Amino acid sequence: MNPKERARNRWKLLANTVNKKCQDQIFSSQISYDLFNVESINTEWSKYSSCVQNNNFSAIVCRSPIIVTPEELMGFNNTGNVRIWPSEEVLAYYVLSNLDSFRDKTVLELGGGMSCLAGIMAALYGFCSDVHLTDGNPNSVYNVERILEKNVFTTKVTCSVLKWDQRPANICHYDVVLAADCLFFDEARDDLVHTIAASLSYDGVALVAAPKRGTTLYEFINMAQKEGLICTIQQNYNTLVWERHSKQVLYNPSYDADSHYPLFYPRHKCLVSNRVPRAY
């Protein structure tokens, strides 16, 4: 499948959300690594649970009630209201598999969509000192606010709209920055890189999970290096995720690793902290 075909398929998926009858099909028919058991509570709310290292973790998550219109689809920051994408689930599972890396850390999630699932799991179980969840779409942030009200946190956790192109002058600095599947829009990539670099503390690390999608990865890395970030790529970063990915390659003819499988791109702001959290 060439890049143009992949792009058309992705936009076709987004366009289908205009028709509410297609929404359930969109949520059930896409690639999944089955890292979370999704138990429906009602038509809107679900319980996302997973067993990691013999520990059970769960969060109450709601699907955004927003039906995306054709006009809204023109903006890149509306994709997060379509569904919880596989990269977000993979990043959330990675967080749960590496909780020691988040203890006493300040955490920022960028482009977390309607769930900010990775940041939610960090806030619930990572013993972080502070977690801030963001997306560029107010509807997504409103949905995350509802999720925060539904779950019980012992960590300080907040959420807000953050548009990467606004580049605020006095941005807070975080020990860990999370981002899932945020690389594929050309017009936003440079702003994303700048936001990551500006948001990281001096010895901070950004954990970015996203499919390679043709040249997208290399363009992102080039921009990140120009911002002074040290970039590495991890393909086999978690045993279970790798096993599920390998089965998809073998048995699912519609599976395309280039456009589906999330790679990990840890980005460090300085050589002092050039250590990648261990993946179990």
Side-chain angles (χ1 to χ4, degrees):
M1 186 181 297
N2 62 46
K4 289 185 178 180
E5 289 176 332
R6 286 195 293 269
R8 280 197 296 268
N9 287 341
R10 188 175 184 87
W11 283 109
K12 181 179 179 181
L13 168 63
L14 295 176
N16 281 341
T17 62
V18 177
N19 184 346
K20 191 176 188 301
K21 293 180 180 179
C22 297
Q23 198 168 47
D24 290 335
Q25 180 181 355
I26 289 169
F27 271 79
S28 62
S29 64
Q30 298 307 302
I31 295 296
S32 173
Y33 299 103
D34 297 321
L35 301 172
F36 289 89
N37 178 51
V38 183
E39 179 185 349
S40 178
I41 298 173
N42 54 41
T43 57
E44 195 172 5
W45 290 89
S46 297
K47 180 180 180 181
Y48 273 67
S49 58
S50 187
C51 181
V52 183
Q53 301 170 18
N54 297 319
N55 295 310
N56 293 313
F57 303 101
S58 64
I60 306 301
V61 177
C62 62
R63 181 191 305 184
S64 173
I66 303 300
I67 303 302
V68 183
T69 67
E71 291 76 17
E72 290 173 324
L73 283 176
M74 296 303 293
F76 77 90
N77 62 357
N78 290 297
T79 59
N81 282 320
V82 174
R83 58 166 291 171
I84 301 177
W85 296 96
S87 291
E88 182 74 21
E89 294 182 349
V90 166
L91 185 58
Y93 189 83
Y94 184 89
V95 168
L96 294 174
S97 301
N98 297 274
L99 290 175
D100 287 344
S101 299
F102 296 86
R103 183 178 291 272
D104 299 324
K105 300 292 180 63
T106 57
V107 178
L108 169 69
E109 180 163 11
L110 298 173
M114 67 178 181
S115 73
C116 288
L117 186 63
I120 290 289
M121 291 301 181
L124 284 171
Y125 301 108
F127 296 100
C128 310
S129 63
D130 182 270
V131 176
H132 188 54
L133 311 174
T134 71
D135 193 80
N137 188 306
N139 292 328
S140 293
V141 172
Y142 169 70
N143 203 64
V144 173
E145 289 175 344
R146 298 171 67 212
I147 293 172
L148 295 185
E149 293 174 356
K150 200 78 168 180
N151 292 273
V152 179
F153 299 90
T154 57
T155 294
K156 178 186 176 183
V157 54
T158 54
C159 66
S160 70
V161 174
L162 177 59
K163 296 182 182 296
W164 307 330
D165 60 346
Q166 293 181 352
R167 302 194 176 194
N170 299 317
I171 194 167
C172 296
H173 295 101
Y174 295 86
D175 300 313
V176 182
V177 174
L178 304 173
D181 210 353
C182 296
L183 313 184
F184 58 93
F185 279 96
D186 295 336
E187 63 270 29
R189 195 174 299 123
D190 183 61
D191 292 323
L192 171 60
V193 170
H194 176 85
T195 302
I196 291 174
S199 301
L200 279 175
S201 61
Y202 181 71
D203 58 349
V205 59
L207 297 174
V208 180
K212 185 169 64 173
R213 292 203 181 96
T215 62
T216 295
L217 162 62
Y218 306 105
E219 293 169 5
F220 184 71
I221 288 177
N222 288 336
M223 290 179 179
Q225 289 174 336
K226 290 178 182 178
E227 286 281 354
L229 298 178
I230 301 164
C231 306
T232 57
I233 302 174
Q234 291 185 358
Q235 185 174 20
N236 185 355
Y237 45 82
N238 182 279
T239 302
L240 181 60
V241 175
W242 183 255
E243 288 177 355
R244 301 285 170 82
H245 159 67
S246 300
K247 287 182 179 179
Q248 294 276 8
V249 171
L250 289 174
Y251 303 114
N252 186 351
S254 65
Y255 185 76
D256 177 18
D258 182 84
S259 59
H260 289 137
Y261 181 60
L263 300 175
F264 255 74
Y265 318 131
R267 273 125 176 78
H268 303 269
K269 201 164 187 177
C270 71
L271 283 168
V272 174
S273 181
N274 196 14
R275 180 181 70 82
V276 177
R278 182 181 176 188
Y280 295 92

